[in-house]
Amino acid sequence: MSCFQHLIIILFSSLFLHFSQADVGTASHYGPPFLPTECFGEGASQFPSTNMFGSAGEGIWNNGAACGRVYEVRCISAAVPRTCIPGQAVQIKIVDRAQSSVSRPSTDDTSMVLSITAFQVIANVSSPLINIEFQQV
Ligand SMILES: *[C@@H]1O[C@H](CO)[C@@H](O)[C@H](O)[C@H]1NC(C)=O
């Protein structure tokens, strides 16, 4: 095998490794009331004081195993141009299940739903739906 072929293989492997770390999906947002939650009941002490939290869509809910997990989330695109705030990422803790949250998401059936506080770090909150890249921390 030539040097060039080796190089191509290395390049493709690193691309694959990079993309396999993060998932692509969608996010919406939700506001108060946040209690009770399917993860912690009335337990508000489980909420990060920064208000950087969210609820899990069915794809990551995993029968409740998602509760307490932290995801790093980036906005990659949206229907309206310039919705994403470039270069921003937010880390959110899963505190609820989107399907049963007291306060309803701005859009149903997304990969996850971010608190307004978390959503506005990465996107214009007037958008009900964004495309995201996310990765468990
Ligand atoms: C957010 O989007 C709305 C509606 O498209 C727009 O009017 C507003 O200027 C945007 N806000 C920012 C900070 O870009």
Side-chain angles (χ1 to χ4, degrees):
M1 209 185 286
S2 73
C3 254
F4 182 69
Q5 283 169 321
H6 272 291
L7 188 64
I8 294 291
I9 288 168
I10 289 165
L11 279 177
F12 270 96
S13 316
S14 59
L15 273 178
F16 176 75
L17 285 175
H18 172 78
F19 286 122
S20 64
Q21 285 172 8
D23 286 312
V24 169
T26 53
S28 53
H29 54 76
Y30 73 146
F34 296 113
L35 292 175
T37 71
E38 195 154 331
C39 287
F40 309 119
E42 294 286 351
S45 65
Q46 297 292 332
F47 282 67
S49 57
T50 56
N51 283 327
M52 299 297 179
F53 59 83
S55 64
E58 291 305 288
I60 62 169
W61 171 246
N62 198 7
N63 207 23
C67 291
R69 281 187 184 155
V70 176
Y71 285 93
E72 180 164 283
V73 187
R74 290 166 204 282
C75 180
I76 52 179
S77 65
V80 177
R82 289 183 295 280
T83 294
C84 294
I85 300 169
Q88 291 297 312
V90 68
Q91 290 196 354
I92 58 114
K93 179 181 178 182
I94 298 297
V95 298
D96 204 354
R97 181 183 193 177
Q99 206 176 63
S100 59
S101 62
V102 177
S103 164
R104 301 310 304 147
S106 53
T107 304
D108 282 329
D109 300 325
T110 53
S111 309
M112 62 181 67
V113 186
L114 308 184
S115 66
I116 292 275
T117 311
F119 192 94
Q120 68 189 9
V121 173
I122 58 170
N124 184 331
V125 82
S126 63
S127 173
L129 177 69
I130 58 174
N131 296 310
I132 57 165
E133 189 181 76
F134 62 101
Q135 183 174 356
Q136 195 183 337
V137 175

